[in-house]
Amino acid sequence: MGARYKVLVVDDSALMRKYLRQMLETQEDFEVYTARDGEDALRRIQEVDPDVVSLDINMPVMDGLTCLSHIMTESPRPVVMVSSLTEKGALATFEALELGAVDYLAKPDGTVSLQIKDQADELIRKVRAALGAKRRPRRSSGERVHPPPERLRKPLAAPEPAERAPEGLVLIGVSTGGPRTLEEILPDLPADFPLPALVAQHMPGHFTRVFAERLDRRCALRVKEIRGPSLLEAGTVWIARGDADVVLSRRRKGLVALGVPADERCLWHPSVDRMVRSALEHVPADRLIAVELTGMGDDGAEAMAEVHRRGGRTVAESEDTAVVFGMPKELIERGGADKVLPCHRIARQLVQWAYEGSGTAEAAKG
């Protein structure tokens, strides 16, 4: 018999503990334990030393965020948060990811979710991904930069080319570990970054608006969620709406991003693959910069490899910093990555490419 992994399920609802336990116990290599609140969880961690923890956010006695802070300080290990699909739940989830949680599962209908059993496959995928995830140290307070009011900050000095690059677009695909990774990269782009950026982050629809607003407060660039047809302008990062996909279209005023119903043929949404392939239909490949960040699976890898083959520029996050080295690894193995970089060096590379004035792919890759 192979290795067995201990999973601790923490939830104040006996019914939720039962459901989550039953879902996880379908896996022969999972040994599942439970705890009823944060205090009980800390005791159980000392007793059974779980490999991964599933942690509810809203609990009496000690809530999930307080428990998480204790876990990360006293006995760090992978944690998957379980939160409600509400604005409050989204805010708490992003705080948990900032504290060090690997991922989250959103309850579809409130604190006690009778529909949670429909998410068994997703829960199992996330727990398995968490088992192999790495913890990335946060930047020190001296390294982390928060933009002052009026978006005056220019964290990375822009080169001074004779002319700026022609019309282009940055495409970013990311999944597990993505919120923290994007918060490492996007705030380091200057306010006058000359290209628009489009981000497909696998995330529920109730979360992407809150995430865009959170990034907007931290970035020199404007960050917005795609709600209707959105003109792609320099100085703006567009976050694809969760539980849907994003495609591009040419309008009289220019290139527009559109939210469209999720394609059921794609496993993850917003689909990175669909976003990149749509961009290739409307923008010359040598004007595209495609970035594949942390995440399980292979969403976007083949499409970004096609960008590379057609003369575009591509970056894969390196294994050193990727929380889950799935999506970037797939791009690298397809021979589609011009650069393989840790997340803290990606913004600098984007600035370099964006400001190169020749407009030729060969010069840009040099």
Side-chain angles (χ1 to χ4, degrees):
M1 191 175 193
R4 291 182 64 82
Y5 301 102
K6 297 178 182 179
V7 183
L8 177 64
V9 171
V10 186
D11 200 296
D12 64 304
S13 163
L15 183 60
M16 289 300 300
R17 292 197 300 274
K18 176 183 175 182
Y19 282 167
L20 292 168
R21 182 171 193 159
Q22 288 175 342
M23 290 154 63
L24 292 166
E25 284 182 337
T26 62
Q27 306 300 294
E28 292 184 356
D29 57 342
F30 283 1
E31 191 174 317
V32 186
Y33 302 84
T34 62
R36 63 181 179 275
D37 56 48
E39 283 190 359
D40 191 26
L42 296 178
R43 286 192 295 269
R44 296 290 278 163
I45 287 172
Q46 294 302 312
E47 292 170 2
V48 303
D49 190 24
D51 297 293
V52 65
V53 177
S54 162
L55 182 59
D56 189 28
I57 287 181
N58 299 306
M59 297 182 293
V61 185
M62 180 186 288
D63 64 82
L65 291 178
T66 303
C67 180
L68 178 64
S69 66
H70 281 286
I71 293 172
M72 291 302 153
T73 302
E74 300 162 10
S75 53
R77 66 199 62 228
V79 177
V80 176
M81 305 303 294
V82 180
S83 64
S84 59
L85 269 176
T86 62
E87 180 171 333
K88 184 178 179 181
L91 289 168
T93 299
F94 293 127
E95 187 174 344
L97 295 173
E98 179 118 13
L99 287 169
V102 172
D103 206 347
Y104 60 89
L105 181 76
K107 294 179 182 177
D109 52 2
T111 303
V112 179
S113 174
L114 299 180
Q115 304 299 316
I116 194 72
K117 288 189 286 187
D118 295 339
Q119 294 180 280
D121 290 344
E122 183 178 3
L123 173 65
I124 292 165
R125 281 199 304 269
K126 288 177 181 287
V127 168
R128 287 200 180 279
L131 285 166
K134 65 168 61 71
R135 296 182 66 237
R136 188 171 68 240
R138 294 195 57 81
R139 293 183 183 181
S140 70
S141 58
E143 293 177 297
R144 180 160 294 281
V145 185
H146 295 284
E150 307 299 328
R151 304 184 187 279
L152 298 178
R153 181 173 66 90
K154 297 182 182 180
L156 292 177
E160 297 294 341
E163 58 176 315
R164 289 190 174 182
E167 177 189 282
L169 177 63
V170 177
L171 302 166
I172 300 175
V174 61
S175 185
T176 308
R180 281 187 62 189
T181 302
L182 290 170
E183 287 177 11
E184 294 279 355
I185 296 170
L186 296 180
D188 279 344
L189 295 177
D192 59 356
F193 187 74
L195 301 179
L198 189 55
V199 177
Q201 158 75 66
H202 299 159
M203 188 174 282
H206 289 72
F207 281 31
T208 42
R209 179 181 63 80
V210 175
F211 185 46
E213 291 172 353
R214 176 184 172 91
L215 284 171
D216 188 60
R217 291 191 295 270
R218 297 176 175 220
C219 295
L221 298 171
R222 296 181 298 273
V223 183
K224 299 181 179 180
E225 182 197 41
I226 297 171
R227 290 191 163 269
S230 304
L231 184 65
L232 297 180
E233 300 174 309
T236 305
V237 177
W238 293 97
I239 306 295
R241 192 169 187 177
D243 295 331
D245 288 338
V246 60
V247 298
L248 276 65
S249 176
R250 281 281 176 190
R251 300 289 174 88
R252 182 174 56 84
K253 291 184 177 181
L255 195 62
V256 170
L258 303 167
V260 295
D263 186 337
E264 293 182 357
R265 292 171 296 181
C266 301
L267 182 58
W268 299 279
H269 304 284
S271 167
V272 182
D273 186 84
R274 194 174 181 189
M275 174 184 72
V276 176
R277 293 190 184 282
S278 176
L280 282 168
E281 293 175 3
H282 297 282
V283 182
D286 63 2
R287 298 182 185 179
L288 292 176
I289 300 173
V291 183
E292 189 83 304
L293 300 176
T294 175
M296 56 184 168
D298 62 357
D299 189 19
E302 183 55 36
M304 289 192 187
E306 182 64 20
V307 171
H308 170 79
R309 288 191 289 268
R310 295 191 195 182
R313 292 155 286 184
T314 56
V315 179
E317 184 179 1
S318 68
E319 188 174 6
D320 293 343
T321 62
V323 176
V324 177
F325 191 51
M327 288 162 52
K329 180 182 179 183
E330 291 289 340
L331 177 60
I332 295 165
E333 290 184 345
R334 285 168 168 79
D338 289 308
K339 301 283 186 179
V340 178
L341 300 171
C343 69
H344 54 270
R345 291 180 53 197
I346 290 175
R348 189 171 300 278
Q349 185 63 61
L350 296 181
V351 168
Q352 178 184 331
W353 278 341
Y355 281 93
E356 284 175 345
S358 69
T360 66
E362 275 312 303
K365 290 180 181 180

